[in-house]
Amino acid sequence: MSTTTESEATYTSDEMMSIAAARVLRGDQRCFVGIGLPSTAANLARRTHAPDLVLVYESGTLGSKPGRLPASIGDGILAETADAVISVPEVFNYWLQPGRIDVGFLGAAQLDRFGNINTTVIGTDYANPKVRLPGAGGAPEIAASCREVFVVVRQSRRSFVEKVDFVTSFGHGRGRGDRERLGLPGAGPTLVITDLGVFRPDPETSELVLSQLHPGVEVADVREATGWELKVSPELSSTPEPTEAELAALRALKEAK
Amino acid sequence: MADIVSLADGVGRLVRDGDTVALEGFTHLIPHAAGQEIIRQRRRNLTLVRMTPDIVYDQLIGAGCARKLIFSWGGNPGVGSLHRFRDAVQHGWPVPLEIEEHSHAGMANRYVAGASGLPFAVLRGYSGTDLPEHTDTIKPITCPFTGERLAAVPAINPDVSIIHAQRADRAGNVQLWGLVGVQKEAVLAAKRSLVTVEEVVDELAPVPGGMVLPTWAVTCVAEVPHGAHPSYAQGYYDRDNAYYEYWDSVGRNRDSFEAWVREKVLDMEGSR
């Protein structure tokens, strides 16, 4: 892809995030899709460069091919367009747990320096939370058993914190080696895509490091929206602008009823 | 053999104060009408079990029917928060709500153990998460063959499980298809069960991917057309996505919720 072409198109930071998240998926992968931002990205990937990407939803659909964005993980269109419809125990026991899924694509309310995810409570007193969030859903086992995990999240000091208030889904714990110590089969979060850039775990420490900046974003903007002392990769690159085709596909997906 | 009954009779016969009650249906086939009938019959002190306590349990919790919730994801799918659930957890309104929190894999396996007549289930789950610290129904267990550390979760055996299905025949055999979630496991794990159906028919024509629960595995069947609304029944009607948005505005405040319960539930007595 040419990075020198000036795109005439204007786009939002949310659109850049979804497009950047879609680009990291490949057609030869099987992806366990969380609802919301991950579902937008995975469906966009199927509509653009990765038509053979296999989408798995926890409601019990293998190989869904929806023509619009599903309203929820149990949207009827996911079952109607699937290769197979299965029960919920089967999804988790036969398909996720043995390691048949390549990528777990998750969202987060809070994400910390080591890619641990919180979707349970805001506040450190579980019994008296400041905010009660929906909870775990399928995420703890998706984060444990998929070969790798991608996270897509809007970045701010509230969502990007030094340490999550509650570990709903285990990322890299407090650093390198923690996953191995727990015997977790998958590699954990290998990519975090936000509306500002892309983060990867440092190979030595597993700390999330800024590795890619979206167009028009400065390192200082990212630092401002990060709740820990941000480290920047020496090989920091910039995200190519969205193409006309990507933007058209994303907007068509969102407008389709 | 299942008895074919009215919804009011089915709930009246099977659901008692203090019971552990599971209403299942994973986005599809959610037994909403039965949930509202429980509110109408003013059941109290229920332990409610459900993987995804969405609108149906927001209504039951807001109406004060529950003392405890066993669950794995509590939100308004595609919209946001469940305000009555949050109010109960954060402020104890209208009554305090004890919670027992799992992951989907854990809940699904608890139902499988319940349906299998086993005391517990084993899964590769919860490792490294904070859930076991707060949920005493998650314990570590060592595989006696390989030595692998795994998680054990106890069986769920509800006093009564309630599901919604597309149809039943006059003998009470139940047929459902599309996303079937954990409904079979929930019914087989329960001491008693109520299945609401879109229609009772003379004969169950086979459906691709369809599942049949034989009449002798079900306690009561009630014909309740549209009984899953605002969720959907594949082959009958689509999900009412606008209702999920509307629920956000109803559930947001105690006043608007109480007005809704009075007008749409309690004053509708005998309408089914």
Side-chain angles (χ1 to χ4, degrees):
Chain A
M1 188 184 302
S2 166
T3 52
T4 54
T5 310
E6 281 297 318
S7 172
E8 292 295 312
T10 56
Y11 55 89
T12 67
S13 57
D14 257 21
E15 286 176 326
M16 181 71 258
M17 171 171 59
S18 290
I19 288 166
R23 285 173 183 164
V24 300
L25 293 166
R26 301 193 316 262
D28 61 352
Q29 289 172 323
R30 288 153 294 194
C31 179
F32 204 119
V33 189
I35 204 63
L37 296 172
S39 184
T40 304
N43 279 288
L44 179 59
R46 265 200 72 253
R47 292 297 206 82
T48 52
H49 65 281
D52 296 330
L53 177 69
V54 175
L55 307 185
V56 177
Y57 285 85
E58 67 190 12
S59 48
T61 68
L62 303 178
S64 292
K65 293 166 274 294
R68 57 170 170 79
L69 285 181
S72 81
I73 43 111
D75 194 313
I77 199 168
L78 297 174
E80 285 155 21
T81 62
D83 296 328
V85 178
I86 55 179
S87 75
V88 167
E90 192 179 325
V91 175
F92 288 100
N93 289 351
Y94 295 177
W95 298 89
L96 177 64
Q97 189 165 257
R100 293 183 216 283
I101 313 292
D102 300 301
V103 177
F105 215 147
L106 298 173
Q110 260 188 349
L111 179 96
D112 72 19
R113 200 149 73 92
F114 293 101
N116 303 296
I117 292 173
N118 174 17
T119 56
T120 303
V121 286
I122 301 294
T124 48
D125 183 359
Y126 175 77
N128 295 291
K130 273 190 218 141
V131 182
R132 175 66 233 194
L133 300 169
E141 285 75 25
I142 295 171
S145 291
C146 289
R147 297 223 170 92
E148 58 185 326
V149 175
F150 301 161
V151 185
V152 56
V153 58
R154 284 186 196 94
Q155 190 176 348
S156 71
R157 287 222 169 203
R158 284 175 65 195
S159 63
F160 253 53
V161 297
E162 163 71 30
K163 192 169 186 298
V164 287
D165 293 339
F166 189 101
V167 179
T168 311
S169 303
F170 195 82
H172 299 288
R174 297 321 292 162
R176 187 165 172 217
D178 276 6
R179 287 188 71 88
E180 290 76 4
R181 268 190 284 284
L182 286 166
L184 295 173
T190 53
L191 277 174
V192 175
I193 302 105
T194 79
D195 45 349
L196 301 178
V198 177
F199 297 75
R200 289 183 172 81
D202 182 290
E204 298 298 315
T205 64
S206 292
E207 175 178 335
L208 292 176
V209 170
L210 178 67
S211 64
Q212 201 175 310
L213 273 176
H214 295 334
V217 179
E218 305 291 337
V219 171
D221 301 330
V222 183
R223 212 176 285 284
E224 187 61 33
T226 302
W228 67 85
E229 207 177 310
L230 178 74
K231 293 201 177 76
V232 180
S233 165
E235 286 105 47
L236 181 69
S237 63
S238 49
T239 310
E241 298 250 4
T243 65
E244 297 284 356
E246 285 171 327
L247 280 170
L250 176 59
R251 288 167 188 171
L253 197 54
K254 291 204 148 184
E255 278 157 22
K257 293 285 176 211
Chain B
M1 295 298 158
D3 293 332
I4 307 231
V5 298
S6 71
L7 175 59
D9 286 349
V11 168
R13 257 177 70 179
L14 300 183
V15 183
R16 297 156 198 164
D17 286 354
D19 272 356
T20 296
V21 182
L23 275 67
E24 280 298 349
F26 205 92
T27 302
H28 181 215
L29 296 174
I30 299 173
H32 272 273
Q36 292 182 14
E37 183 60 31
I38 293 171
I39 296 175
R40 207 173 288 124
Q41 296 196 15
R42 295 175 172 80
R43 289 292 180 272
R44 289 291 178 271
N45 295 315
L46 301 177
T47 293
L48 293 177
V49 187
R50 179 167 167 73
M51 291 183 65
T52 57
D54 35 34
I55 293 178
V56 63
Y57 274 15
D58 211 33
Q59 296 174 347
L60 281 156
I61 290 165
C65 301
R67 60 162 286 272
K68 181 174 179 183
L69 176 68
I70 302 175
F71 75 109
S72 42
W73 190 89
N76 181 344
V79 178
S81 295
L82 292 178
H83 301 290
R84 295 299 95 226
F85 163 62
R86 273 173 69 159
D87 202 10
V89 173
Q90 293 175 215
H91 308 114
W93 192 93
V95 289
L97 184 71
E98 186 188 336
I99 59 171
E100 181 178 324
E101 187 165 8
H102 280 266
S103 67
H104 279 350
M107 285 294 285
N109 278 290
R110 294 188 69 183
Y111 278 121
V112 169
S116 307
L118 290 171
F120 70 95
V122 168
L123 70 152
R124 193 177 286 125
Y126 300 106
S127 286
T129 77
D130 286 340
L131 283 162
E133 189 186 325
H134 300 282
T135 302
D136 60 14
T137 47
I138 304 167
K139 299 283 185 206
I141 188 167
T142 304
C143 170
F145 304 103
T146 64
E148 184 179 355
R149 291 278 278 180
L150 297 159
V153 289
I156 291 177
N157 292 106
D159 293 306
V160 53
S161 285
I162 302 178
I163 67 166
H164 187 76
Q166 277 95 345
R167 58 197 184 197
D169 64 18
R170 294 185 199 288
N173 296 294
V174 170
Q175 188 184 38
L176 61 159
W177 63 89
L179 295 175
V180 292
V182 288
Q183 283 98 306
K184 178 163 68 176
E185 289 78 8
V187 166
L188 296 181
K191 298 183 183 81
R192 307 182 291 276
S193 57
L194 169 64
V195 182
T196 59
V197 293
E198 288 298 319
E199 57 177 342
V200 174
V201 297
D202 290 329
E203 199 170 332
L204 297 176
V207 175
M211 170 189 287
V212 172
L213 288 168
T215 178
W216 50 273
V218 175
T219 317
C220 290
V221 170
E223 188 178 52
V224 188
H226 246 70
H229 177 268
S231 84
Y232 67 105
Q234 191 175 321
Y236 288 81
Y237 46 90
D238 291 335
R239 189 174 190 262
D240 185 353
N241 291 326
Y243 190 99
Y244 284 77
E245 300 277 354
Y246 156 78
W247 185 255
D248 188 76
S249 66
V250 172
R252 192 169 284 276
N253 300 300
R254 293 173 184 177
D255 289 351
S256 54
F257 173 77
E258 289 190 314
W260 176 87
V261 171
R262 264 194 314 278
E263 188 188 332
K264 302 287 189 189
V265 184
L266 298 178
D267 289 353
M268 304 287 276
E269 202 139 7
S271 63
R272 289 275 185 187

